[in-house]
Amino acid sequence: MEQALNKLQGMYIRKMQIKIITDRIFDTIKNDTGRANLKFEDLYIAVLLVYNDINKFLPVTHIDPPSKAKVREIMKECDFNLDGEIDRIEFYDFIRRITSDTVTIVSKRLLLTFAIAPTVALLTKKITEGIPHVGNMVRSLPNSVYASTVTLAVWWHQKQKLS
């Protein structure tokens, strides 16, 4: 029961975070254009701002924003009143839909970097200890330091791969 409540609370917090981000970006575009709703061009700029924030704050490799065609497709799905523009409520739904793949990509990369890499590091430490000139140094490192070093190396490699 407690796990279900924690999961619901986590989902609520994530929805609130998305709401805060979408409101901030919607207001930024709205203030720049002076219009109450977003046309396609404004919407695409908003998507670029969202993906810029994602790439700036998450410790994973660069995530490309969707193409203009994909934005146009989802815009049609989210334009509930069929006026050709996106209002604040439609924008929230739009951003949730367009970033749904991103959450999966980020989750997989975070899992790889911060869960699997330390485990593999500890499993391969014994092998590394047998390498001449390196083995003594590896043997002298505590497991936590060795796993952290390998994890940082994997994270750095992921960041550099797309730079």
Side-chain angles (χ1 to χ4, degrees):
M1 179 73 167
E2 185 178 332
Q3 286 179 332
L5 289 175
N6 287 338
K7 187 174 182 178
L8 288 174
Q9 183 180 13
M11 289 170 42
Y12 175 76
I13 290 171
R14 192 175 67 142
K15 285 182 180 180
M16 290 307 300
Q17 289 172 333
I18 291 172
K19 181 75 171 134
I20 291 167
I21 292 168
T22 57
D23 283 347
R24 180 180 53 83
I25 290 176
F26 188 89
D27 289 339
T28 299
I29 300 292
K30 180 181 165 185
N31 291 339
D32 287 349
T33 63
R35 290 191 300 272
N37 296 329
L38 304 180
K39 294 185 178 210
F40 174 75
E41 295 80 18
D42 305 325
L43 186 61
Y44 193 70
I45 291 170
V47 168
L48 295 177
L49 289 173
V50 167
Y51 275 81
N52 185 49
D53 283 356
I54 289 170
N55 287 320
K56 196 182 317 178
F57 296 113
L58 292 177
V60 293
T61 57
H62 177 82
I63 308 280
D64 289 328
S67 66
K68 285 185 176 184
K70 183 73 171 173
V71 170
R72 197 177 309 272
E73 174 188 323
I74 296 177
M75 179 183 179
K76 288 177 185 174
E77 294 172 8
C78 293
D79 186 12
F80 301 122
N81 57 7
L82 303 174
D83 64 353
E85 297 180 344
I86 298 292
D87 63 26
R88 184 180 300 273
I89 295 168
E90 293 168 336
F91 184 65
Y92 172 77
D93 188 51
F94 173 85
I95 292 299
R96 274 192 7 179
R97 288 185 191 197
I98 206 147
T99 58
S100 65
D101 294 348
T102 304
V103 171
T104 305
I105 292 168
V106 168
S107 297
K108 284 180 182 177
R109 290 182 183 168
L110 285 173
L111 178 67
L112 173 68
T113 303
F114 297 111
I116 296 173
T119 304
V120 170
L122 292 176
L123 292 174
T124 59
K125 185 178 181 197
K126 274 285 190 218
I127 296 169
T128 310
E129 289 173 351
I131 298 174
H133 306 292
V134 177
N136 290 336
M137 183 181 70
V138 170
R139 216 173 286 116
S140 67
L141 290 174
N143 286 344
S144 59
V145 172
Y146 183 74
S148 298
T149 303
V150 170
T151 301
L152 286 173
V154 169
W155 173 77
W156 180 79
H157 177 71
Q158 285 182 341
K159 287 294 246 185
Q160 297 302 314
K161 199 165 41 174
L162 294 176
S163 296

